[in-house]
Amino acid sequence: MLLLAHATGFHGRVYRSLANELAANYHSVALDYRGHGDSSSPAEGDFHWHGYGQDTTTYAAHLDAKPLFAFGHSMGGAALLMAELEAPGTFAGLVVFEPIVMPAVIEIPQGQDNFLATGARKRRSTFASFDAAFDNYRSKPPLSGWNASMLRDYVDYGFRDDGNGAVTLKCTGENEALTFEMGGSHGTFERLNEVTCPVLVVAGNIDGAGPAAMAETIALNMKNGSYKQFDQLTHFGPMEAPALVAATITEFFAGLD
């Protein structure tokens, strides 16, 4: 079984095309993290990332599958690593695409200006229809570079019908912003050497100080970490090239047998 863990602001079903590419080798399942997709928001707006790690641990225990492999994208990758730290042996192997795991010296302190959070709060949340939302995203970057089926799933499962013809994002801009603001303080980087299961860290194009720039360092700090990089992909690599990412996942896990 393969668990798919989504990035901030997304939901589990956005990776359906990736799951389809993996179907010959894995039965894939996904969860919606707290405040995302069809999951409820945490009490008192607590979006500290340790909660996402706990969500993962709880869901993995519920699956009760051995062996259990997992793929995590961005926040989802960090959540998988936190879950493995909380309950060692949960996963037989992990593939994480540009996980948000940073040393304390470069974390953005909570309360300090965070351009991702600012952007989330300004993001348009309501459209006239599902098709209008899809057409809007399809017309401009960064979502214009996505695989069309994955963009369709992002819209169809990430928006809810308001009952008056309009559709609204399930993950509110405030929930997404709070997630971004609390994402730099989970302390996972300092504990990477405690992760013992095999982990492949994958990155897209390294453009400045973004998540891709940290990916190789993350891999090097784990006992069984390895690294792979694709210049043609961005941070949204799984949505841009699901077949390529699926092949990378399959190849890595096959090598663990």
Side-chain angles (χ1 to χ4, degrees):
M1 185 174 287
L2 176 66
L3 172 61
L4 303 174
H6 69 76
T8 301
F10 298 159
H11 52 78
R13 290 181 179 90
V14 76
Y15 300 93
R16 284 206 314 166
S17 292
L18 181 64
N20 289 339
E21 293 285 350
L22 292 161
N25 297 290
Y26 298 99
H27 173 69
S28 296
V29 295
L31 75 160
D32 288 344
Y33 283 110
R34 57 186 64 194
H36 291 70
D38 292 323
S39 290
S40 59
S41 297
E44 300 178 359
D46 181 8
F47 283 90
H48 194 288
W49 281 29
H50 286 299
Y52 294 124
Q54 291 164 4
D55 291 346
T56 309
T57 304
T58 301
Y59 189 63
H62 171 74
L63 292 173
D64 192 26
K66 295 293 182 181
L68 178 61
F69 298 92
F71 169 78
H73 178 204
S74 194
M75 178 193 77
L80 294 178
L81 292 169
M82 284 187 277
E84 182 63 21
L85 286 169
E86 181 179 340
T90 294
F91 300 109
L94 300 173
V95 175
V96 290
F97 193 98
E98 297 190 10
I100 308 303
V101 177
M102 299 176 289
V105 293
I106 63 171
E107 291 170 357
I108 300 174
Q110 189 175 339
Q112 185 172 317
D113 182 55
N114 183 312
F115 75 95
L116 292 171
T118 299
R121 289 190 171 100
K122 293 179 178 178
R123 184 167 295 122
R124 181 178 177 181
S125 61
T126 301
F127 291 88
S129 65
F130 290 101
D131 286 344
F134 177 84
D135 291 342
N136 177 76
Y137 292 134
R138 192 66 171 158
S139 68
K140 55 191 176 184
L143 275 64
S144 59
W146 285 25
N147 170 280
S149 293
M150 296 191 81
L151 181 58
R152 189 78 244 184
D153 285 335
Y154 168 67
V155 170
D156 288 351
Y157 295 102
F159 283 77
R160 62 170 52 90
D161 190 331
D162 289 343
N164 58 0
V167 297
T168 299
L169 274 169
K170 293 177 179 178
C171 179
T172 67
E174 183 63 18
N175 284 1
E176 185 177 1
L178 288 170
T179 300
F180 283 132
E181 288 176 342
M182 298 182 186
S185 58
H186 49 81
T188 303
F189 183 85
E190 286 71 26
R191 298 185 59 195
L192 286 173
N193 66 330
E194 299 174 40
V195 177
T196 57
C197 74
V199 181
L200 173 64
V201 184
V202 185
N205 183 262
I206 299 173
D207 53 351
M214 280 299 304
E216 186 171 15
T217 300
I218 292 168
L220 291 172
N221 274 270
M222 288 185 282
K223 290 183 173 67
N224 290 307
S226 52
Y227 172 71
K228 194 160 191 173
Q229 195 252 334
F230 295 100
D231 282 333
Q232 71 271 38
L233 302 181
T234 73
H235 187 61
F236 296 115
M239 288 79 172
E240 296 162 345
L244 175 61
V245 173
T248 302
I249 294 169
T250 300
E251 179 183 17
F252 180 69
F253 289 148
L256 304 183
D257 294 338

